[in-house]
Amino acid sequence: MKVIVCVKQVPDTSGKVAVNPDGTLNRASMATIINPDDKNAVEAALTLKDNTGCEVVVVTMGPPPAEGMLRELLAMGADRGVLVSAREFGGSDTFATSQILAAAIKKIGLEADDLVLCGRQAIDGDTAQVGSQIAEKLNIPQISYAADIKKDGAKVTVKRMLEDGYMTIETQTPCLLTCIKELNEPRYMSVGGIFDCYNKPVDVYDYNTLKDDPLIELDTIGLKGSPTNIFKSFTPPQKGQGRMLEGADKNTCAELAAELLKKHII
Amino acid sequence: MDFRLTKQQEMMQKLCREFAVNEIEPIAAEIDEQERYPIETVEKLRKYGLMGIQFPKELGGSGGDTICYSIAIEEASKFCGTTGCILSSHATLGAWPIFKYGTPEQKEKWLRPLIDGHKTGAFGLTEPNAGTDSAAQQTVAVKQEDGTWLINGSKVFITGGGVADTYVIFAMTDKSKGNHGISAFIVDKDDPGFKIGKIEHKMGIRGSQTSELIFEDMKLPADRLLGKENGGFKIAMTTLDGGRIGIASQALGLAQGALDKAVQYMKERVQFGRSLDKFQGLQWMVADMATKIDAARLLVRRAAFNKDHDLPYTKEAAMAKLFAAEVAMDVTTKCVQIYGGYGYIREYPMERMMRDAKITEIYEGTSQVQRMVIAREVLKK
């Protein structure tokens, strides 16, 4: 059994944001972190490894420096990494990204007993679409917003969080789950893990590695293969001066509620 | 020459930063206030392999080097001098002499649980009348006819005393030989005749327990002798050379942590209509502090590098410890000043860092001893 975890390197929100002329993020020139929800997915995989001894494979699509992030995940305890990296893959939207990642997962090999884990969403794009689209393209069941995962042979039981409660869903492997932060507390790298992580394998999948997969066509990947395009990106206007509402009566409360409603805060 | 950390050393720094921010900083003030040994932190340090960073994996360690060990102490000490002290005293004073001088059997029995972190170690050298003059040992070990040892005496100011499981202690085995009549022994906390005496109340590093050790007719089997009979003074001195890199790293962390906080405070605190970082008098203080801290860091890293590469490091470790400790005292005092009245209040971390810094000028050899060591090395040529 193995768990394949899709992980994204995202800009450190405390750093400076750099944007390319085409509106996409200039990822190479920004300080990066591991997408927080993805770290929960990795922790879930490592917990399964602690309990069952399964293999944990971490996959990321990104520029070559993303290998550093994969090494950190190996230092946390993952067994091997796959870096999906090619100029042809750059500028992908969620459709194209999920095409490529689904092809990469097929290349790694998805067997009857395996799980694919993703984070709920990445803090840069904030779409929460890639996980679900990968599941569709692999034609496997998916459960999003996993806050608890139990695996018993080919049966997986997941607590799926909703805004006002949760549902418990059971499905068969192979399947894809998207993870949320309530699922667990990610572990740190270990010192021993740091000194082992460069001895563990990281495979690089480039365009040639994946091009024979039916999902990989020049019009289904990269900027050209993306049905959506970013036409404009801009910094939201700064909030103006705060406004004080005088009075403690019902009318003042109504005025406050109307103001908050107008700004879509409530 | 290359001043960059290796990729793995950078990862160590990242791990230790995250660990320090999440696990060490939140309880730093509380353990100081309560003079409480942070056992929960020690368990977490063990879990991630931080109690045996610089020891080989074959013996249960993490396979790192002295630079990694120094980085870990620096990062921890940025937020908590106590945790830096625990990391340093356990690994270099408790474990290292057994690693360097122990027999294979001693390493398996005593060292492995120390460097895999299941037990903690301490080092007993100082006596009421043998501090800087450490050769004036009054604790006596007498060899019995059956080869066992009978030990009587006491030790004071022992870091980890009463919380550690394994102690490396020193005793006179041949008083007529002075320095050359001292031997080292491994003591277990449960050995009959071994007692913990007074627990000290200290100015700083208050979460790190410091106690007296008492040996009353303590009988040790023959295999507890560490190294050669009468070879203990060399063991103590070489152990302290390495320990000084740990204390220098602690001092470095305290200084850097205080400066980081002061810089942040200067950007927030407004007087005369502008933030403190706009006042030249304070800007120049920051420049001086940052420069001294960087100089200290380079000395610490060089001493660690030399140790890792089997180059001489006695003088280098003494220089690093002397300079980093004096920088820590200077910087933390100035950072209290930058905080103004708030710096003197216990709600803010500055006064704790200033109290913690002072010990780095005293323990593991005072600044005066470091100057003796440095002068001896320089003048012997």
Side-chain angles (χ1 to χ4, degrees):
Chain A
M1 168 195 167
K2 66 176 170 299
V3 184
I4 299 173
V5 194
C6 300
V7 184
K8 187 178 187 184
Q9 195 174 39
V10 294
D12 185 350
T13 45
S14 61
K16 278 191 180 149
V17 175
V19 181
N20 289 321
D22 62 13
T24 57
L25 286 174
N26 183 353
R27 294 178 187 281
S29 71
M30 286 186 287
T32 55
I33 55 168
I34 302 169
N35 183 52
D37 286 347
D38 301 355
K39 240 178 159 176
N40 295 103
V42 171
E43 176 60 36
L46 294 174
T47 306
L48 279 165
K49 180 183 172 179
D50 291 343
N51 298 335
T52 66
C54 68
E55 188 191 19
V56 174
V57 187
V58 285
V59 189
T60 194
M61 181 169 97
E67 188 199 323
M69 176 191 70
L70 290 177
R71 296 287 172 196
E72 287 180 25
L73 300 171
L74 299 180
M76 283 168 72
D79 298 290
R80 61 189 170 104
V82 173
L83 173 63
V84 183
S85 193
R87 204 155 286 283
E88 290 87 343
F89 301 154
S92 292
D93 69 358
T94 62
F95 174 86
T97 300
S98 57
Q99 293 280 117
I100 300 160
L101 284 174
I105 290 166
K106 282 199 266 173
K107 178 82 186 168
I108 294 164
L110 193 60
E111 284 160 50
D113 203 19
D114 293 348
L115 273 181
V116 181
L117 301 182
C118 297
R120 171 184 58 178
Q121 68 195 72
I123 57 167
D124 51 357
D126 259 340
T127 64
Q129 292 175 1
V130 171
S132 299
Q133 291 190 42
I134 292 172
E136 287 303 311
K137 282 156 191 172
L138 292 171
N139 200 24
I140 58 173
Q142 56 169 295
I143 304 174
S144 51
Y145 313 132
D148 186 50
I149 301 169
K150 285 194 177 65
K151 186 169 185 292
D152 182 13
K155 191 177 82 179
V156 183
T157 312
V158 174
K159 179 177 172 182
R160 180 177 188 262
M161 292 308 285
L162 303 172
E163 275 183 8
D164 53 354
Y166 66 89
M167 48 171 75
T168 303
I169 306 179
E170 201 178 287
T171 189
Q172 299 291 310
T173 59
C175 64
L176 183 145
L177 314 176
T178 74
C179 302
I180 59 175
K181 71 170 189 295
E182 287 78 4
L183 178 58
N184 52 41
E185 190 74 40
R187 68 192 66 188
Y188 303 100
M189 297 180 271
S190 73
V191 184
I194 287 172
F195 291 98
D196 281 343
C197 74
Y198 279 88
N199 299 327
K200 292 181 177 178
V202 170
D203 294 325
V204 179
Y205 290 1
D206 60 9
Y207 175 70
N208 283 325
T209 319
L210 298 178
K211 72 177 189 319
D212 296 333
D213 192 290
L215 292 170
I216 304 295
E217 301 292 340
L218 281 176
D219 58 357
T220 61
I221 60 165
L223 197 57
K224 277 189 207 156
S226 294
T228 60
N229 281 300
I230 297 162
F231 288 109
K232 186 182 171 192
S233 75
F234 58 92
T235 310
Q238 293 237 320
K239 283 182 201 155
Q241 274 285 323
R243 189 159 72 85
M244 289 290 288
L245 296 177
E246 299 282 345
D249 54 359
K250 233 179 170 176
N251 282 342
T252 318
C253 292
E255 202 185 332
L256 175 64
E259 193 68 26
L260 294 175
L261 210 57
K262 202 170 84 188
K263 292 185 188 295
H264 305 290
I265 291 167
I266 55 173
Chain B
M1 179 74 87
D2 189 344
F3 289 104
R4 290 169 298 183
L5 296 177
T6 65
K7 280 179 179 168
Q8 275 145 331
Q9 288 161 351
E10 273 182 6
M11 285 170 89
M12 264 301 291
Q13 197 171 47
K14 188 167 184 177
L15 157 67
C16 295
R17 269 181 195 162
E18 286 178 11
F19 188 93
V21 169
N22 296 332
E23 315 292 341
I24 295 175
E25 185 176 23
I27 62 166
E30 178 227 308
I31 61 169
D32 173 71
E33 185 76 29
Q34 299 178 359
E35 297 190 56
R36 181 175 75 78
Y37 179 75
I39 183 72
E40 70 271 43
T41 307
V42 174
E43 278 164 13
K44 288 174 196 162
L45 290 167
R46 171 180 65 75
K47 187 173 159 195
Y48 290 102
L50 287 158
M51 294 297 269
I53 295 167
Q54 73 274 47
F55 297 102
K57 292 199 171 182
E58 305 85 80
L59 286 165
S62 293
D65 56 20
T66 311
I67 291 182
C68 288
Y69 156 80
S70 167
I71 287 171
I73 296 172
E74 181 190 346
E75 295 301 325
S77 303
K78 282 182 183 175
F79 301 102
C80 175
T82 282
T83 310
C85 170
I86 290 171
L87 275 169
S88 176
S89 62
H90 164 79
T92 36
L93 298 187
W96 190 82
I98 306 177
F99 172 70
K100 177 77 177 173
Y101 297 100
T103 62
E105 295 75 27
Q106 285 173 330
K107 286 184 188 177
E108 202 52 45
K109 184 169 182 194
W110 301 101
L111 180 63
R112 181 178 289 279
L114 288 181
I115 62 185
D116 72 16
H118 286 87
K119 291 188 171 177
T120 54
F123 178 87
L125 174 67
T126 300
E127 298 185 359
N129 296 315
T132 295
D133 181 10
S134 56
Q137 296 278 308
Q138 289 177 337
T139 297
V140 175
V142 180
K143 200 182 208 167
Q144 306 297 291
E145 280 179 6
D146 60 358
T148 61
W149 297 91
L150 193 68
I151 301 184
N152 279 287
S154 68
K155 300 287 168 184
V156 291
F157 303 157
I158 305 309
T159 301
V163 292
D165 305 280
T166 305
Y167 299 77
V168 171
I169 65 126
F170 297 83
M172 273 290 175
T173 37
D174 188 345
K175 202 162 181 64
S176 67
K177 290 184 176 161
N179 271 357
H180 301 289
I182 297 170
S183 300
F185 297 91
I186 303 169
V187 176
D188 185 272
K189 69 174 178 0
D190 296 325
D191 280 331
F194 177 44
K195 292 190 193 111
I196 301 301
K198 187 180 175 215
I199 292 172
E200 305 293 349
H201 297 288
K202 307 186 295 293
M203 175 195 207
I205 55 164
R206 287 160 42 125
S208 151
Q209 186 165 305
T210 304
S211 88
E212 188 184 11
L213 310 180
I214 300 166
F215 319 117
E216 276 177 1
D217 288 336
M218 178 173 71
K219 204 172 173 187
L220 296 182
D223 66 1
R224 298 290 191 84
L225 177 72
L226 182 63
K228 292 196 186 87
E229 188 174 337
N230 297 331
F233 192 69
K234 190 185 168 206
I235 296 179
M237 292 304 115
T238 53
T239 301
L240 289 172
D241 283 344
R244 281 165 190 160
I245 298 174
I247 302 310
S249 311
Q250 184 200 18
L252 173 63
L254 282 163
Q256 184 69 61
L259 179 61
D260 291 346
K261 290 230 180 311
V263 164
Q264 196 185 341
Y265 184 75
M266 285 170 70
K267 292 180 177 176
E268 292 163 4
R269 172 75 171 169
V270 174
Q271 290 287 279
F272 300 103
R274 48 191 180 153
S275 50
L276 296 190
D277 63 333
K278 302 291 191 298
F279 292 86
Q280 194 179 45
L282 300 185
Q283 288 171 355
W284 287 17
M285 273 168 78
V286 167
D288 287 346
M289 288 192 283
T291 305
K292 284 179 188 168
I293 291 169
D294 235 27
R297 182 173 290 108
L298 293 173
L299 281 175
V300 173
R301 295 262 165 87
R302 181 186 64 172
F305 177 92
N306 278 15
K307 185 163 193 281
D308 285 334
H309 290 82
D310 291 324
L311 296 166
Y313 64 93
T314 298
K315 180 185 74 179
E316 288 74 11
M319 284 177 164
K321 199 256 183 195
L322 167 66
F323 190 74
E326 295 193 342
V327 167
M329 201 59 236
D330 178 36
V331 166
T332 53
T333 307
K334 290 204 168 80
C335 289
V336 168
Q337 190 70 19
I338 286 172
Y339 263 63
Y342 293 107
Y344 201 65
I345 305 290
R346 273 152 63 175
E347 202 178 322
Y348 296 88
M350 278 304 140
E351 61 83 33
R352 169 168 52 85
M353 298 177 104
M354 182 177 158
R355 286 188 283 109
D356 286 353
K358 183 60 205 175
I359 191 59
T360 65
E361 292 185 318
I362 300 170
Y363 68 178
E364 303 210 28
T366 59
S367 291
Q368 288 66 35
V369 162
Q370 308 311 325
R371 289 185 169 92
M372 281 164 56
V373 171
I374 297 161
R376 187 184 65 217
E377 295 288 323
V378 171
L379 294 169
K380 83 180 176 188
K381 281 173 194 156

